[in-house]
Amino acid sequence: MIQQSSNINTVTSISNINNRKPKKELDKDDFLNLLVTQLKNQDPLNPLDNSEFIAQTTQFSSLEQLINISEKFDKLIDNEESSNLNLFSAVSFIDKNINFYGNDFSADENGAVLRFDISGTPATTNIEIYNEKGAKVKTVSVEGVNGSNTFSWDLTDDNGIKLNPGNYSYKVVAKDKDGNELPVRLSSSGRVIGVLKEGNSTVFDLGFTKVKPDEIISVYN
């Protein structure tokens, strides 16, 4: 039985050898293995010359650097092609209206509609609106809000003066009965006027802000 098992192992081993496919090109690991094998089998009475050994190790170092550069270059090309493909695909969003997560918005002569989601039940909720320079122009206290909410701003400041249409931003501060601030997620909307590439990312230009693909909630005409 032992002899039979040995024969089977021998046949399996030979089969595995026969199934190996020779490499068409040598990589840096193959080159290193050849160098190590050469050192192991060198004649002790006539060892490898130092200058020859240094030359071979230098070749190995150069080979490794070239392979690393080639791999990085291939990766760069793949990223560039993928980025360009995403850019061309995103062009179809131009002239589309999108809802997105963010606090920037554009107000026309009628004002703007602000949207926000509150996690929890707030005791107090304040909406603060800022102009393009970052100055606060309006603070509004609202009651009875939780979950998804909308607020229509009439483009007036705290003194009731009508402001100019333009680009604004806002934030919502909601606190529970113990004074703890609750999580709030803001959203806005706008029309896509262009598509840009920033690094390897594609972004949508709305004029008053730029939106990343993962910030988009919905798209509509």
Side-chain angles (χ1 to χ4, degrees):
M1 294 296 295
I2 296 177
Q3 183 62 37
Q4 182 179 357
S5 175
S6 176
N7 290 338
I8 293 174
N9 291 335
T10 301
V11 172
T12 303
S13 178
I14 293 174
S15 176
N16 291 336
I17 293 174
N18 291 335
N19 288 333
R20 293 177 185 172
K21 295 182 179 180
K23 288 186 176 181
K24 294 182 180 180
E25 297 179 357
L26 296 180
D27 56 21
K28 61 183 179 181
D29 293 330
D30 296 323
F31 189 93
L32 181 60
N33 288 332
L34 288 173
L35 182 59
V36 172
T37 302
Q38 184 179 5
L39 291 175
K40 287 182 178 180
N41 295 284
Q42 66 179 335
D43 186 355
L45 301 178
N46 186 24
L48 186 65
D49 182 69
N50 286 337
S51 59
E52 185 178 352
F53 176 74
I54 293 174
Q56 292 191 18
T57 53
T58 302
Q59 289 176 1
F60 172 74
S61 179
S62 300
L63 174 65
E64 185 176 27
Q65 291 178 8
L66 288 173
I67 291 175
N68 291 336
I69 292 173
S70 177
E71 290 174 350
K72 290 179 180 179
F73 186 69
D74 290 341
K75 186 177 181 180
L76 179 63
I77 292 176
D78 291 340
N79 290 338
E80 185 71 17
E81 290 177 348
S82 177
S83 178
N84 288 334
L85 179 61
N86 292 335
L87 181 65
F88 295 141
S89 299
V91 169
S92 61
F93 280 74
I94 294 178
D95 285 333
K96 300 288 186 181
N97 293 296
I98 63 172
N99 290 322
F100 63 93
Y101 292 116
N103 67 326
D104 294 318
F105 67 95
S106 179
D108 58 22
E109 61 275 4
N110 297 318
V113 177
L114 311 180
R115 300 177 177 84
F116 55 95
D117 296 312
I118 301 177
S119 297
T121 303
T124 61
T125 304
N126 290 329
I127 301 174
E128 301 174 357
I129 300 175
Y130 300 81
N131 63 18
E132 199 168 10
K133 295 181 179 180
K136 187 191 297 184
V137 296
K138 183 84 170 184
T139 301
V140 181
S141 295
V142 293
E143 297 179 353
V145 294
N146 55 37
S148 298
N149 306 272
T150 60
F151 171 76
S152 296
W153 180 45
D154 60 3
L155 201 59
T156 60
D157 64 10
D158 285 329
N159 299 317
I161 299 174
K162 193 80 169 182
L163 301 177
N164 294 323
N167 303 330
Y168 295 85
S169 63
Y170 75 108
K171 73 176 183 178
V172 176
V173 180
K175 295 182 179 181
D176 62 18
K177 61 181 181 180
D178 297 321
N180 300 313
E181 195 164 329
L182 298 174
V184 179
R185 192 164 199 180
L186 312 179
S187 61
S188 187
S189 61
R191 184 176 65 88
V192 178
I193 63 174
V195 180
L196 307 173
K197 186 170 69 171
E198 294 184 350
N200 288 326
S201 300
T202 299
V203 296
F204 301 94
D205 185 9
L206 277 63
F208 60 90
T209 190
K210 295 175 183 177
V211 179
K212 297 178 181 179
D214 59 359
E215 295 172 336
I216 295 177
I217 304 172
S218 60
V219 182
Y220 54 98
N221 289 321

